[in-house]
């Protein structure tokens, strides 16, 4: 008999992305991105993390909370294929699923004790917008999780950087030094929706408290503005 399960977040992510626009489409594509996994008060017992320091990577199991909708469709349009081809939802990593659950492998950069949040995990390469709820954290096991002979179907080639980023020095200097490489990498990955390729269009997204606006012509992305974002 079918059963329903109730789940609650054990943590949330604190990342540089104020919305899902601009977030890399897979984890690990922008390794310079850093984020914090902040546990909910009920799960801040340090004993729950005992032994995790021996692992280099962890799995985050999380919720597509910005894509929740009523009902579901058996087919979706993967951005990897330009948004023009429909494939089965279970053959993709689309956020529009019967259950909006995602998983990401991220590098564990450290575990830090904070006054406000207790022990937090500092991770690199996460593809989660700020505030995304996390259902579970599991250690990445190389002997079980790394499958060198696996076949990647329509996504067998890595979706790496595709654009050259041009940014005037005065604008670039508005970005804190530790965040610059992460932002450059995010822009070079081409954050535009695949179905929008208008060279006249200006795109923008929030990153690390800043509003970044840019346009793309051919394979060149030009940063037009970098301003302080709205205060929260």
């Amino acid at each position: 008999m079918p059963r329903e399960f109730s789940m609650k977040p054990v943590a949330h992510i604190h990342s540089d992305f104020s919305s899902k626009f601009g977030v890399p489409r897979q984890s690990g594509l922008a390794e310079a991105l850093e984020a914090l996994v902040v546990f909910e008060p009920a799960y801040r017992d340090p004993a729950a993390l005992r032994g995790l320091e021996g692992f280099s990577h962890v799995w985050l199991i999380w919720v597509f909370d910005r894509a929740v909708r009523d009902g579901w469709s058996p087919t979706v349009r993967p951005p990897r294929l330009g948004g023009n081809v429909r494939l089965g939802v279970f053959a993709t990593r689309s956020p529009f699923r019967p259950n909006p659950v995602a998983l990401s492998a991220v590098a564990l950069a450290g575990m830090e004790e904070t006054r406000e949040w207790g022990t937090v995990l500092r991770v690199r390469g996460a593809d989660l917008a700020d505030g995304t709820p996390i259902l579970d954290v599991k250690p990445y096991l190389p002997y079980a999780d790394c499958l060198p002979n696996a076949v990647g179907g329509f996504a067998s080639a890595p979706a790496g950087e595709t654009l050259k980023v041009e940014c005037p020095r005065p604008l670039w200097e508005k970005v804190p030094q530790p965040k610059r490489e992460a932002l450059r990498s995010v822009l070079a990955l081409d954050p535009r929706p695949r179905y929008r390729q208008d060279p006249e269009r200006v795109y923008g997204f929030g990153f690390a408290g800043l509003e970044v606006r840019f346009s793309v012509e051919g394979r060149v992305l030009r940063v037009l503005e970098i301003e302080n974002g709205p205060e929260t």
Side-chain angles (χ1 to χ4, degrees), residues 28-198:
L29 296 181
E31 294 183 359
L33 284 174
E34 285 204 352
L36 296 179
V37 174
V38 178
F39 291 90
E40 295 299 303
Y43 303 101
R44 290 179 185 172
D45 187 336
L49 298 173
R50 187 181 302 152
L52 192 62
E53 68 278 359
F55 294 88
S56 65
H57 292 72
V58 295
W59 288 105
L60 303 180
I61 301 173
W62 50 282
V63 179
F64 285 117
D65 62 318
R66 290 160 173 83
V68 175
R69 58 175 61 178
D70 293 331
W72 70 287
S73 172
T75 61
V76 294
R77 301 177 185 267
R80 188 67 179 274
L81 298 178
N84 299 316
V85 178
R86 282 197 170 273
L87 293 179
V89 65
F90 298 128
T92 76
R93 295 195 178 191
S94 167
F96 305 113
R97 323 184 65 79
N99 293 307
V101 179
L103 77 165
S104 298
V106 298
L108 179 58
M111 300 166 62
E112 301 177 8
E113 186 69 27
T114 69
R115 178 176 299 180
E116 183 178 3
W117 300 316
T119 304
V120 301
L121 307 181
R122 183 173 295 277
V123 298
R124 293 194 181 119
D127 55 337
L128 289 73
D130 187 56
T132 296
I134 297 172
L135 299 176
D136 205 356
V137 177
K138 296 178 183 289
Y140 180 96
L141 301 177
Y143 75 87
D145 297 335
C146 180
L147 305 172
N149 297 322
V151 177
F154 68 89
S156 58
E161 297 182 5
T162 60
L163 301 179
K164 176 184 178 182
V165 178
E166 295 184 353
C167 180
R169 183 182 295 273
L171 293 183
W172 205 234
E173 290 177 348
K174 294 183 178 183
V175 182
Q177 180 69 38
K179 303 289 186 180
R180 292 178 188 174
E181 174 55 24
L183 177 57
R184 186 210 63 78
S185 182
V186 166
L187 293 170
L189 288 168
D190 193 353
R192 296 174 298 169
R194 289 291 187 257
Y195 55 87
R196 292 180 179 170
Q197 303 291 318
D198 182 0

